[in-house]
Amino acid sequence: MSITLNTTMSSIMTNKRRVGALKSLGVVTVGDALTYYPFRVADPVPLRALREARIGERMAFSASVRGMRVVPMNVRRGYRLEAVVDDGDFAVSRHVAGAAARLVFFSYKKQYVDWLSMRLRSGAIVVIAGEPSEFNGQLQFTHPEIMTVAPGSGPADGEYSGVVQMSALKYDADTVEAGLRRISRPRPVYHASSRISSEHIHESIVQCIELLAGTGQDLPGDAATEAPQTMKPMEDGGISGAGTAPAGAESRSGNAVAVGLARAIPDILPESVRESNHLLHRAEAFLAIHDPLSTADFKRAIGTMRYEEAFVSQTALIQSRSNVRKDAALPCAGVALRDRFIESLPFPLTGGQREVIDDIGADMAREYPMQRLLQGEVGSGKTVVAVAAMLQAAGSGHQAVLVAPTQVLAEQHHATISAMLCAIDGVETGDDPGITQNNARSGVAPTAAGPAAVDDPSRDALSPNDPADLIKAAESAADDGDAKGRAAVKHPVKHSGARSGKQDGAAHAQSDANTRHVPVILLTGGMKLAARRRALALAASGDPCIIVATHAAFSKTFQAPNLALVVIDEQHRFGVEQRESLRTKNDVVPHLLVMTATPIPRTAAMTWFGDLDISWLTELPGGRKPIRTFIVPEDDGHMMGSMFAHIRGRIDAGERAYVVCPRIDADDESDGEDDTSGASQIGVYDDSDAYRRESATAAAANTAASAPSQEDGDGAPSRPPLHSVVEIERRLSSLPQFRGVRFATLTGRDDDATKQQVMADFADGATPVLVATTVIEVGVDVPQASCIVIFDADRYGLSQLHQLRGRVGRGGTDSWAFLISRAEDGSPAQQRLQVIQGTLDGAQIAQADLEFRGAGDVLGDTQSGGKSGLKLLRVVKDVKIIADARERAGRLLADDPDLSGEVELAGAVLDFTRGNETFLTSS
């Protein structure tokens, strides 16, 4: 049977249970097995004579077999094999007297016992590694690792002449010295599970290596009486690679396995790159990782594969960036409408906003698509930048669409943009909330101040030039009218004729002269059919407009033939296939602007979004005060009482408070799995914490064989149930601190009308305390909110806590965030909360998040059900490797854009691109 990297494990392993256990770890093919990397290597096994043995500590020694017997176990079923060994010759080299010990093996399978009996014949020379114990006053090794040594390697050639030499018997080592070097080498330790141990994972991977190299064989069936000594059948039907290296292998050069593996696994990195960085061949690296000669051998191999990941990923990103520039886009050079919008704002833009708007404007004026990522702190003014970009598209005679992840956020954006355009049209946002003539005909929701503009004795009245006026107008527009029941279209005066997707900018002057006629269309999945059809028809007309939509924009019914710009808000909440559906709707590729408030360090952004131009908004608008953050132990009754008393004081001053819970009710067992709860990041660190516990346990034990991982829950500390909205609302409403205060609840299960009413009541102070799930993470903007309490904060991701904290402090008043925790002092969970408490800088929080749990989870690499191809590359620690790989990949692609001279690299890049669409955000 020909074995390749794509060969399935089920076709070479007869043990279906092990195949299933490996599949649960993501190991389906031989290639998966080779890239299932160990997280460390165990220390070398020390050499000791039997008289130097320490109970419970692994040791290695050589001995001769003095006797062996097999005893049937009638009561328990199966067999017990006992062999007595003597280390006399080895003990002499250690300058101690020789001694005897018993080796014991148990098995239900006669085949396995017969195979062991052949290896442990009387007089055989063996090398043994295991953990000694004591039984009936005698030293005993239970299921030790053994390697057979070829006859004639002992002190006297004729001493073991009684050993039967069978032609089918292959010895593991030619000499005792070679066997000892082999068996005492460092052993890789893998993340395991309750279904399969690290040792069995290692055995399976070594088997794959041997089969690829052509030096091993699988066991097709139950009978394998002449199995090679290097691949012993296990009791459970698997295959052990306990003695897998060729005899006397000290170096990889000339090694039969290494030579055969190099033929089966071609190198991916260009020869010049490999030599200049002193890297191993890919096949040699795999061998050194899973079967290392030394710790240094292992580290060098890991470094090779880490660089390979960096080089392949950076090559893919650079190619993606180049390919995008070959596409045609609609150039948007009309900036008059955009500039009028900026002049109409009642507040000055920050320097960062002006710089980003200029960069976007220059990008959109080109004839190839813009690809830009805009990252900004919570409240840094990304929406203003997005509106400026959309007005540049509309002012150039084209369409723009803004896609938001939730209906609440879409309505928020629609109302905010409508209010902003009112200022351009000369409608003062603080005037009488009447409807203009065009608005009356179209049935648009009013854009004047409404419920949010309440009398607040704790603060001065807001002037028309205050930034909060726009927020007030936005909340009014979202609250008044039936926003759910119809498409809210602002000034729907159509231009003559539908425009084709390839039109030029000839209509710029006309569009700029009619700035008040740019419609703002709301399109959500919760709209009534008639309103939805009306909104779809307006978009399909091709007339210049701004479309604010939810996932409804990804449906086949949505058509925008004149689409020039796509803005994705909170990009990590959308799958790549969804984003691609908008880019491929028309023949002309639209410009793309993706925005996120999720903190991403610059090193991570360079790695994960290397195909995009990246802009950062780090300045916050003036007048905002820093949010004070406190960690409150839930079992500290005095501190909890003081916190509630403080919140009551702020409520009496006319302010609002959020209370966030991870679950909806006691029956909600999703712990964040259910989208309706909104707790998308609950328990995101559970795996990494389990791995830390496993690593610490393994290191303390100083053993090569890893115990079953706790990532499946075995041995993991039990956690108390998560708090729910229903429970906390009931408890808080009964507290004396909140006597006379009305509470409201908001969850993902509420219908749209309920959500709108709840938010309106919260904004106008009818219900000043809102108990909610994380549905408030985005799309909720109430300037009067000054306090937020987050229960089970130790179970959230750092980025999500940062986002939630950003819901307060938006009105220029003092603000507080209280993180309720049940984490133990000094625990990783407590350390994470201290990060949030110690900084408001999203970049610092993002870097800490990466260090706690890795880039893939932080950046949402599973958002489309995919799996990151980066298994070794560390975004924070390996920034120099990434930079070097990017520079070399850029030089290679400059000389060979299609990689026609590097066929293997081209294939690896293609595989990486196909399997990591979430990594390549726009390709």
Side-chain angles (χ1 to χ4, degrees):
M1 177 181 179
S2 178
I3 306 298
T4 68
L5 293 176
N6 294 322
T7 301
T8 61
M9 298 296 291
S10 59
S11 65
I12 61 174
M13 298 186 68
T14 59
N15 182 355
K16 301 307 177 185
R17 285 187 302 171
R18 182 175 293 191
V19 171
L22 289 170
K23 185 177 181 180
S24 68
L25 298 175
V27 178
V28 178
T29 66
V30 172
D32 294 334
L34 266 58
T35 55
Y36 191 80
Y37 300 113
F39 65 91
R40 71 179 184 92
V41 287
D43 294 332
V45 180
L47 301 180
R48 292 176 187 160
L50 290 176
R51 291 191 180 275
E52 299 173 311
R54 302 171 188 173
I55 302 300
E57 294 186 14
R58 282 179 63 85
M59 57 177 284
F61 63 99
S62 67
S64 58
V65 180
R66 294 308 183 193
M68 182 272 300
R69 66 170 182 163
V70 176
V71 181
M73 297 185 295
N74 296 326
V75 177
R76 295 178 54 193
R77 205 163 53 84
Y79 305 89
R80 182 179 76 252
L81 184 149
E82 295 182 359
V84 178
V85 297
D86 183 348
D87 74 337
D89 296 321
F90 178 72
V92 171
S93 67
R94 303 283 299 176
H95 307 292
V96 296
R102 180 186 290 114
L103 311 181
V104 181
F105 300 86
F106 300 92
S107 178
Y108 292 114
K109 296 191 175 183
K110 186 67 164 59
Q111 173 195 359
Y112 174 70
V113 173
D114 291 342
W115 183 78
L116 276 177
S117 301
M118 182 175 63
R119 292 167 64 83
L120 295 174
R121 291 176 179 274
S122 179
I125 305 172
V126 292
V127 174
I128 302 164
E131 185 177 301
S133 60
E134 187 176 354
F135 182 74
N136 289 338
Q138 187 174 9
L139 201 62
Q140 176 174 297
F141 293 82
T142 304
H143 283 272
E145 181 182 348
I146 62 172
M147 294 180 64
T148 57
V149 180
S153 61
D157 290 346
E159 184 175 349
Y160 305 113
S161 57
V163 177
V164 177
Q165 299 194 27
M166 303 172 59
S167 59
L169 186 62
K170 296 181 180 179
Y171 296 96
D172 300 326
D174 290 335
T175 65
V176 170
E177 291 76 12
L180 288 173
R181 282 195 300 270
R182 168 71 182 168
I183 209 166
S184 63
R185 283 187 347 200
R187 191 63 53 86
V189 183
Y190 302 82
H191 287 307
S193 73
S194 59
R195 298 176 60 185
I196 185 170
S197 67
S198 172
E199 188 64 28
H200 285 174
I201 294 172
H202 180 235
E203 293 165 358
S204 302
I205 295 175
V206 170
Q207 176 202 3
C208 293
I209 290 176
E210 288 185 331
L211 293 174
L212 272 174
T215 61
Q217 69 180 57
D218 55 336
L219 300 181
D222 295 332
T225 56
E226 297 184 0
Q229 299 299 321
T230 55
M231 290 166 38
K232 69 181 182 184
M234 298 294 292
E235 306 105 301
D236 59 2
I239 297 175
S240 170
T244 53
E250 282 187 73
S251 170
R252 301 295 183 193
S253 59
N255 186 323
V257 175
V259 172
L261 203 61
R263 288 195 298 265
I265 305 177
D267 207 0
I268 287 178
L269 292 175
E271 186 70 19
S272 59
V273 173
R274 185 162 64 88
E275 289 182 353
S276 60
N277 286 278
H278 307 290
L279 303 174
L280 299 173
H281 188 281
R282 193 168 196 247
E284 192 175 4
F286 279 136
L287 193 57
I289 288 172
H290 298 294
D291 198 18
L293 294 171
S294 63
T295 302
D297 190 33
F298 173 82
K299 290 180 178 179
R300 185 184 177 195
I302 288 291
T304 295
M305 299 311 298
R306 184 170 286 144
Y307 190 92
E308 180 185 291
E309 286 187 359
F311 195 86
V312 171
S313 64
Q314 294 306 305
T315 302
L317 288 168
I318 295 172
Q319 266 198 337
S320 172
R321 187 185 183 95
S322 300
N323 291 337
V324 166
R325 296 196 173 187
K326 298 177 183 177
D327 295 328
L330 294 172
C332 301
V335 297
L337 178 59
R338 182 201 70 180
D339 293 344
R340 288 188 57 189
F341 159 71
I342 295 174
E343 293 172 1
S344 70
L345 292 173
F347 52 86
L349 295 178
T350 64
Q353 286 174 317
R354 291 184 178 276
E355 181 179 353
V356 172
I357 289 174
D358 290 341
D359 291 341
I360 292 174
D363 289 348
M364 291 178 62
R366 300 189 179 107
E367 295 184 351
Y368 58 82
M370 172 183 70
Q371 301 280 99
R372 185 170 290 275
L373 169 68
L374 174 58
Q375 180 189 344
E377 292 284 355
V378 176
S380 60
K382 297 184 297 298
T383 302
V384 172
V385 174
V387 172
M390 290 188 290
L391 287 177
Q392 181 169 338
S396 301
H398 305 303
Q399 295 172 306
V401 60
L402 169 63
V403 186
T406 66
Q407 179 163 330
V408 173
L409 183 55
E411 292 171 350
Q412 177 86 34
H413 280 318
H414 171 262
T416 303
I417 294 170
S418 298
M420 289 177 173
L421 294 188
C422 280
I424 302 180
D425 294 341
V427 179
E428 293 294 336
T429 58
D431 291 342
D432 183 89
I435 302 177
T436 64
Q437 184 177 0
N438 284 334
N439 278 342
R441 288 198 301 267
S442 65
V444 68
T447 57
V454 297
D455 291 335
D456 188 345
S458 66
R459 64 188 71 185
D460 296 332
L462 297 174
S463 67
N465 292 326
D466 195 295
D469 283 346
L470 292 177
I471 298 172
K472 291 163 60 180
E475 290 169 349
S476 172
D479 178 63
D480 292 342
D482 185 6
K484 173 186 175 184
R486 60 179 175 268
V489 183
K490 184 178 187 304
H491 307 309
V493 178
K494 292 189 176 182
H495 297 273
S496 57
R499 304 183 187 275
S500 69
K502 297 183 179 180
Q503 67 180 16
D504 57 20
H508 294 173
Q510 178 185 358
S511 180
D512 288 334
N514 296 279
T515 56
R516 69 179 61 202
H517 297 155
V518 176
V520 181
I521 303 171
L522 177 65
L523 178 64
T524 70
M527 298 171 66
K528 292 181 180 179
L529 182 59
R532 181 181 175 86
R533 286 178 174 173
R534 187 162 57 249
L536 290 171
L538 288 170
S541 70
D543 289 345
C545 63
I546 293 174
I547 305 157
V548 182
T550 57
H551 291 73
F554 304 125
S555 67
K556 294 181 180 179
T557 58
F558 175 73
Q559 297 295 327
N562 193 18
L563 185 62
L565 173 66
V566 174
V567 181
I568 305 290
D569 195 12
E570 295 300 328
Q571 60 83 27
H572 65 285
R573 289 175 172 248
F574 296 100
V576 174
E577 292 83 358
Q578 293 174 319
R579 293 196 292 266
E580 284 299 290
S581 68
L582 282 176
R583 297 184 69 247
T584 57
K585 279 184 180 291
N586 304 324
D587 294 335
V588 179
V589 178
H591 301 284
L592 176 67
L593 175 65
V594 294
M595 304 192 302
T596 181
T598 301
I600 304 173
R602 292 174 185 253
T603 54
M606 180 181 71
T607 307
W608 286 79
F609 302 107
D611 58 333
L612 304 179
D613 295 309
I614 306 173
S615 298
W616 279 272
L617 286 179
T618 56
E619 298 177 69
L620 292 180
R624 293 202 173 180
K625 297 182 179 179
I627 304 168
R628 284 173 279 186
T629 306
F630 298 89
I631 301 173
V632 181
E634 188 172 343
D635 57 4
D636 189 336
H638 176 73
M639 195 170 184
M640 292 282 287
S642 299
M643 175 189 71
F644 291 137
H646 171 81
I647 294 173
R648 176 57 189 263
R650 304 320 305 165
I651 292 173
D652 291 341
E655 298 173 8
R656 317 282 188 270
Y658 297 105
V659 179
V660 180
C661 304
R663 293 198 302 171
I664 298 175
D665 52 41
D667 296 330
D668 178 13
E669 298 297 336
S670 63
D671 287 2
E673 298 294 334
D674 184 358
D675 289 340
T676 61
S677 72
S680 58
Q681 294 194 38
I682 290 297
V684 294
Y685 299 102
D686 289 352
D687 285 348
S688 58
D689 288 347
Y691 287 163
R692 288 186 183 186
R693 291 193 299 269
E694 178 185 342
S695 301
T697 302
N702 194 25
T703 176
S706 174
S709 170
Q710 298 176 8
E711 62 182 309
D712 288 343
D714 296 347
S718 59
R719 296 180 182 272
L722 298 171
H723 291 298
S724 67
V725 170
V726 174
E727 167 211 357
I728 293 300
E729 189 274 337
R730 175 180 52 80
R731 287 173 52 185
L732 295 186
S733 59
S734 64
L735 292 177
Q737 290 96 329
F738 296 113
R739 186 176 294 113
V741 174
R742 291 183 59 195
F743 284 75
T745 63
L746 183 66
T747 72
R749 292 179 186 171
D750 296 328
D751 58 40
D752 297 329
T754 301
K755 289 178 181 177
Q756 293 175 8
Q757 186 60 49
V758 167
M759 289 310 304
D761 290 344
F762 181 65
D764 64 21
T767 52
V769 180
L770 179 62
V771 185
T773 59
T774 54
V775 293
I776 68 163
E777 180 185 353
V778 293
V780 175
D781 193 350
V782 179
Q784 296 88 347
S786 63
C787 298
I788 185 168
V789 179
I790 305 173
F791 279 89
D792 294 303
D794 51 301
R795 301 293 301 279
Y796 287 94
L798 288 181
S799 296
Q800 192 170 33
L801 288 175
H802 183 59
Q803 288 268 43
L804 289 169
R805 179 172 59 180
R807 295 308 98 201
V808 298
R810 307 174 79 86
T813 61
D814 292 327
S815 301
W816 297 265
F818 301 97
L819 310 179
I820 312 301
S821 170
R822 290 183 277 194
E824 298 179 0
D825 290 340
S827 65
Q830 182 75 2
Q831 296 172 18
R832 292 191 289 268
L833 294 182
Q834 289 171 350
V835 171
I836 290 290
Q837 183 184 33
T839 182
L840 296 171
D841 187 341
Q844 292 184 24
I845 292 170
Q847 181 146 337
D849 214 4
L850 281 172
E851 293 170 355
F852 276 117
R853 60 183 171 124
D857 294 326
V858 172
L859 302 171
D861 65 352
T862 57
Q863 57 188 299
S864 296
K867 188 177 181 182
S868 172
L870 298 183
K871 299 182 178 182
L872 294 174
L873 193 63
R874 302 162 301 184
V875 175
V876 176
K877 295 182 180 180
D878 297 328
V879 60
K880 291 183 179 179
I881 294 177
I882 295 168
D884 181 82
R886 188 172 184 85
E887 179 185 354
R888 294 179 187 273
R891 291 204 299 263
L892 176 65
L893 289 172
D895 297 334
D896 186 4
D898 298 326
L899 297 178
S900 55
E902 299 290 344
V903 178
E904 297 299 334
L905 176 61
V909 169
L910 181 61
D911 290 342
F912 180 87
T913 305
R914 287 174 175 171
N916 292 269
E917 292 90 352
T918 52
F919 184 99
L920 301 170
T921 305
S922 58
S923 64

